[in-house]
Amino acid sequence: MSSRFSPLAILSLTAAMLALAVWAYAPGLHGGFLFDDFGNLPAIGASGPVDHWATFFRYITSGGADPTGRPLALLSFLLDARDWPAAPYPFKRTSLLLHLLNGVLLALLLRRLGRESLQPAMHVRSDLAAVLGAGFWLLHPLLVSTTLYIVQREAMSQGRWLVMLMVGCMAGCTSFIARQIEHPGHSRSRAMDDLLSGIGFHHDTMRTREGVSIAYWTAPPRDYRFKETFQLRHNEGGAVSISYKIKFGDKPIKAMLLAPKGSVVLLHPWGMAGASMMPWGLNFAAAGYRVVMPDLRSQGESSDAPVGYGPREARDVVELVQQLRAARRLPEPLYLLGASYGATVALFAAPKLSNVRGVIALEPYANAAAVIRRAPGSGLFGHRWLASWISPQRMD
């Protein structure tokens, strides 16, 4: 099919359909005004020629149709005349051009729908169907009055804006999800940063050989005294959330330092930051371990860089560990703990590091592509309603 209908052939067919529509409407372009044209169009010259701001404002606000008066339709009439009486041909010509524009927009919408719902092998056929469907719509007899009856331009504009909105939504939603997949964003809480600083955590940055700046929190083992409270909440709509509260018994910044038992690198889920691992970090530090909580690339305060859903982030973590070890800031043995996306990063990083005593991987994924395909419906990369605009084929 692709050899018979190349992109050039599709474009040629589109041009032929547009030319056929022009030919079909050509006789009507030389007709006169009809019915309500005589009652509405004379407003163009009701206050004299529309050639300065005063008359323009009076004309554009003179509409009586709908609450707004349809100012866009009135504005389009100024393309054809600035005073009244005027010849009908320019009005009909503009209406025909707008009708052809609607046809092109409809073809684009049908093409987008076909490519979203069909396999790539069927895309050429769907493009052909889109052009033919738009062509048949252009030539439908019921649209003759809408096109050549000048005041019906107001009705044409409503359909045009609707189609443009749908095309824009489909393209925009796909682009938004694609960006979310490639750029998680920089989630950060000033309140959390202040809390970490207040309990003795230290913030620092390092730069990898690729030039990626990795921000991270570290904390020495301390004899922290605190009480944690977790509360499960059932919100409206069936959503479930967890409330976390912590209360310190004394000034945590003055808590006694402990002899280190080792080090733990904590790796956060997608779209979050190292600070989100604070409850884990606090408990490990109180248990005698030095804690490191990095912001993975393109997240938190780390710099933007292409994400890799595991391997690239693991290289950053390996370099961070190597630098901390070289500076004698990472007591042995070493443990890695990650949640979800961070768990997969931990599994990729562990084989590349020496003296790793253990890895705790909480809900890692085995296949990043499967995660991405499920993402629109899961809400991971945006609101769940976006899933209705993006097909599995587009996600592939």
Side-chain angles (χ1 to χ4, degrees):
M1 176 62 73
S2 59
S3 61
R4 293 179 57 194
F5 295 98
S6 65
L8 180 60
I10 298 294
L11 288 175
S12 300
L13 179 60
T14 303
M17 296 300 290
L18 293 173
L20 183 59
V22 171
W23 175 81
Y25 276 89
L29 295 180
H30 301 282
F33 292 113
L34 302 168
F35 307 117
D36 289 351
D37 290 345
F38 295 102
N40 291 272
L41 295 179
I44 297 174
S47 301
V50 183
D51 53 7
H52 54 83
W53 285 112
T55 54
F56 172 79
F57 181 77
R58 283 195 295 269
Y59 165 69
I60 212 69
T61 57
S62 65
D66 298 338
T68 63
R70 299 182 181 178
L72 291 179
L74 295 177
L75 184 63
S76 72
F77 296 149
L78 293 180
L79 296 173
D80 310 311
R82 301 291 179 86
D83 200 0
W84 192 261
Y89 179 79
F91 289 88
K92 294 181 180 292
R93 179 189 59 198
T94 300
S95 292
L96 176 58
L97 291 175
L98 292 174
H99 181 57
L100 298 178
L101 174 61
N102 287 349
V104 171
L105 291 173
L106 178 60
L108 291 175
L109 176 61
L110 295 176
R111 178 178 183 270
R112 171 69 70 168
L113 289 171
R115 287 179 173 257
E116 291 286 352
S117 57
L118 299 175
Q119 296 293 338
M122 299 292 293
H123 283 179
V124 174
R125 292 189 180 191
S126 68
D127 291 350
L128 175 62
V131 173
L132 291 176
F136 293 147
W137 179 86
L138 282 171
L139 296 169
H140 198 291
L142 288 178
L143 295 175
V144 172
S145 62
T146 305
T147 304
L148 298 180
Y149 189 3
I150 306 304
V151 294
Q152 289 299 313
R153 191 181 297 179
E154 300 170 348
M156 293 172 60
S157 65
Q158 297 174 9
R160 180 165 56 256
W161 290 116
L162 177 61
V163 173
M164 290 175 65
L165 178 63
M166 294 180 67
V167 172
C169 280
M170 297 189 69
C173 290
T174 304
S175 299
F176 175 78
I177 291 294
R179 177 168 177 79
Q180 293 298 102
I181 291 172
E182 297 169 1
H183 303 283
H186 296 276
S187 174
R188 183 183 178 187
S189 170
R190 289 291 183 183
M192 181 64 74
D193 291 351
D194 292 341
L195 173 61
L196 290 172
S197 298
I199 62 177
F201 280 61
H202 176 69
H203 190 262
D204 207 344
T205 59
M206 58 82 69
R207 187 169 295 275
T208 68
R209 287 189 290 269
E210 293 182 30
V212 182
S213 176
I214 300 296
Y216 60 96
W217 289 94
T218 61
R222 289 181 182 271
D223 186 21
Y224 287 116
R225 304 294 175 89
F226 58 91
K227 180 180 180 181
E228 296 174 295
T229 303
F230 295 88
Q231 183 178 1
L232 192 65
R233 293 180 176 178
H234 295 275
N235 303 320
E236 294 182 4
V240 178
S241 63
I242 297 177
S243 172
Y244 171 75
K245 296 181 180 180
I246 184 169
K247 184 177 181 180
F248 292 94
D250 200 355
K251 291 184 178 181
I253 194 70
K254 296 183 178 181
M256 182 180 64
L257 294 174
L258 302 175
K261 299 178 182 179
S263 300
V264 182
V265 177
L266 302 172
L267 303 170
H268 61 81
W270 176 270
M272 303 181 75
S276 66
M277 303 297 285
M278 184 273 289
W280 291 95
L282 192 59
N283 280 277
F284 276 113
Y289 293 89
R290 184 168 187 84
V291 173
V292 181
M293 305 186 307
D295 297 345
L296 298 174
R297 57 168 58 197
S298 289
Q299 295 163 90
E301 292 190 65
S302 293
S303 62
D304 287 327
V307 296
Y309 288 85
R312 290 173 176 167
E313 294 81 353
R315 291 199 298 267
D316 300 336
V317 172
V318 168
E319 290 192 40
L320 172 60
V321 169
Q322 290 172 344
Q323 289 192 21
L324 293 174
R325 279 176 166 172
R328 299 184 181 277
R329 297 174 57 194
L330 207 63
E332 303 294 346
L334 175 66
Y335 297 86
L336 303 179
L337 183 151
S340 186
Y341 166 66
T344 301
V345 175
L347 293 173
F348 274 104
K352 302 176 182 179
L353 292 167
S354 61
N355 197 24
V356 175
R357 182 68 59 87
V359 177
I360 303 174
L362 304 175
E363 297 184 324
Y365 49 80
N367 189 317
V371 174
I372 294 172
R373 292 189 187 101
R374 294 196 306 269
S378 69
L380 180 61
F381 298 141
H383 296 289
R384 285 182 172 83
W385 62 265
L386 292 174
S388 62
W389 292 92
I390 303 174
S391 66
Q393 290 77 20
R394 174 61 62 178
M395 291 305 301
D396 289 337

